[in-house]
Amino acid sequence: MRYVMVQIPKTPAPSSPAPRPVPTSADVARLAGVSRATVSYVLNNTSSVRISEPTRRRVHEAAKELGYVPHAAARSLRAGHSRIVLMPAPDVPVGPLYSQFISELQWALGRLDYTVVQFGSVGLYGDEAVRAWAELRPVAVLVPGRGLGPQGVKVLKGSGARAVVTLGPEPVDGAHALLMDHEAVGHCAGSHLHDRGRRRIGVIVPREHGLESFSVPRLKGVRDALHGTTATLTELPLAYEEDSAARLAARWRDLDLDAVFAYNDEYAMLLMRALQDEGVRIPEEVAVIGADDLMLGRLLRPRLSTVHIELPSGRDLAELVDRAVRDPAAAPETHKVLGATVVRRDSS
């Protein structure tokens, strides 16, 4: 057999078109027929300079046509600080209530010309996490939970953060504090069940890592509500899994409980379904109350009693951040922001 070698000719690579020059504010100014200063005032939402609405519209249309985007780093240099508000992403399961709060906060900060950046800090804790936050040079940091101490506040302020705000059960030296009293949630639930004539009360304690900062004070709140009464309290560890709920429901009658505070609405719905599968009647045999006042609780049968939680307004928190950024030398503010009220429905 004869082999013939054939040479495949090389075809020249197509020439790449020359990259288009990046549009500048001067290009926007020429197209809009205004000065570069006017472009800066309009696109940076400068409130101290009055500019007519037609002029603003022309500048925005010119920027859109050219594909011009303001340079964040340059703007930060001019202002002396960034407009980034950093919020470490929680390393615990979060529900619809918290997600709604974050959305409202982002909207309110955006109206004040800030950008919220959620930092995924999985695997980073303590000083290591604080240094990672500081590297981004945020103008403000909002820290949920217990992940920050006084030394961390100093590191963040040393890196240029003008405002550090904590959302948790206790204030931190040097930081503005929004105090969230979860004991009040448990106290409301425990008092409600006792007032309904229940005396053998269980309290769900989630097994999921990280929820202790919520579940422990809620458990203490129930304990305080029952203190000095004849009622008993039983802790009920529960994972957020159908199998775990089924195992608890299977031994429910042996526990001899006539009520349960299920930590929140999601755990309450999980447990209610498992109890009903076992033939346990709600509320005849056991009264159930959750917390968070989620819409799904109103769709259950029986409708779920709950503790309505009033989180801080996203607008109020955004205004606190803005005040702190404008006056970083001001004394830290402390506000109690968590309200709790019982919403009685059919399940209790």
Side-chain angles (χ1 to χ4, degrees):
M1 181 180 292
R2 205 167 49 148
Y3 295 91
V4 178
M5 295 185 65
V6 179
Q7 183 174 5
I8 300 175
K10 291 183 179 179
T11 56
S15 58
S16 301
R20 295 178 60 185
V22 177
T24 66
S25 61
D27 298 326
V28 176
R30 278 193 296 271
L31 184 59
V34 298
S35 68
R36 289 185 67 179
T38 299
V39 171
S40 177
Y41 294 146
V42 171
L43 297 183
N44 290 320
N45 294 319
T46 304
S47 58
S48 58
V49 180
R50 295 189 63 181
I51 298 173
S52 69
E53 191 56 37
T55 299
R56 288 182 178 276
R57 191 161 48 247
R58 287 206 313 276
V59 169
H60 283 295
E61 289 173 353
K64 183 177 180 180
E65 180 178 337
L66 294 171
Y68 173 75
V69 178
H71 198 294
R75 184 170 62 173
S76 298
L77 285 173
R78 287 193 299 271
H81 57 79
S82 75
R83 301 295 290 180
I84 293 176
V85 177
L86 185 143
M87 193 166 188
D91 58 354
V92 300
V94 295
L97 194 65
Y98 183 81
S99 299
Q100 179 182 342
F101 164 65
I102 293 299
S103 296
E104 183 185 349
L105 174 61
Q106 288 178 323
W107 179 86
L109 285 168
R111 292 291 297 268
L112 295 173
D113 198 30
Y114 294 96
T115 299
V116 178
V117 174
Q118 281 205 293
F119 188 93
S121 54
V122 175
L124 298 178
Y125 302 97
D127 294 342
E128 188 180 6
V130 170
R131 285 193 296 271
W133 305 339
E135 286 178 5
L136 297 179
R137 297 297 189 267
V139 71
V141 183
L142 307 180
V143 185
R146 302 173 181 266
L148 186 69
Q151 183 58 36
V153 175
K154 291 181 181 179
V155 170
L156 290 171
K157 290 189 172 181
S159 71
R162 293 185 166 208
V164 180
V165 182
T166 61
L167 295 88
E170 299 170 350
V172 178
D173 287 346
H176 300 272
L178 300 180
L179 302 181
M180 307 181 80
D181 182 12
H182 284 275
E183 285 187 29
V185 178
H187 196 282
C188 280
S191 297
H192 170 71
L193 293 174
H194 187 268
D195 291 344
R196 299 298 297 159
R198 309 294 172 147
R199 295 295 180 265
R200 303 182 306 281
I201 298 171
V203 177
I204 294 297
V205 180
R207 291 184 180 274
E208 279 64 35
H209 170 72
L211 292 181
E212 300 87 356
S213 58
F214 306 105
S215 64
V216 170
R218 291 186 184 190
L219 174 64
K220 183 177 185 302
V222 178
R223 200 180 300 280
D224 289 347
L226 302 181
H227 180 72
T229 73
T230 59
T232 60
L233 184 151
T234 302
E235 295 182 35
L236 302 170
L238 176 67
Y240 193 67
E241 301 167 355
E242 289 179 279
D243 288 346
S244 181
R247 288 193 296 271
L248 177 57
R251 60 187 183 90
W252 191 264
R253 288 191 170 91
D254 293 336
L255 294 170
D256 192 29
L257 301 174
D258 62 6
V260 60
F261 168 47
Y263 171 71
N264 71 7
D265 287 355
E266 291 173 293
Y267 283 84
M269 289 184 272
L270 175 70
L271 180 60
M272 279 179 63
R273 181 72 268 167
L275 290 173
Q276 289 169 331
D277 288 345
E278 287 291 326
V280 178
R281 293 173 300 141
I282 300 169
E284 292 83 1
E285 292 183 72
V286 57
V288 180
I289 186 170
D292 289 353
D293 195 11
L294 301 183
M295 185 197 305
L296 282 175
R298 300 194 290 274
L299 304 180
L300 291 182
R301 294 297 181 271
R303 292 178 177 87
L304 178 63
S305 295
T306 188
V307 178
H308 176 81
I309 296 175
E310 194 69 38
L311 285 173
S313 157
R315 179 174 296 179
D316 290 344
L317 179 51
E319 289 175 355
L320 169 61
V321 170
D322 192 49
R323 285 197 306 273
V325 168
R326 292 174 184 272
D327 187 8
E333 299 179 27
T334 298
H335 302 277
K336 291 185 177 181
V337 296
L338 193 80
T341 54
V342 168
V343 180
R344 179 189 165 192
R345 299 196 184 103
D346 304 332
S347 68
S348 63

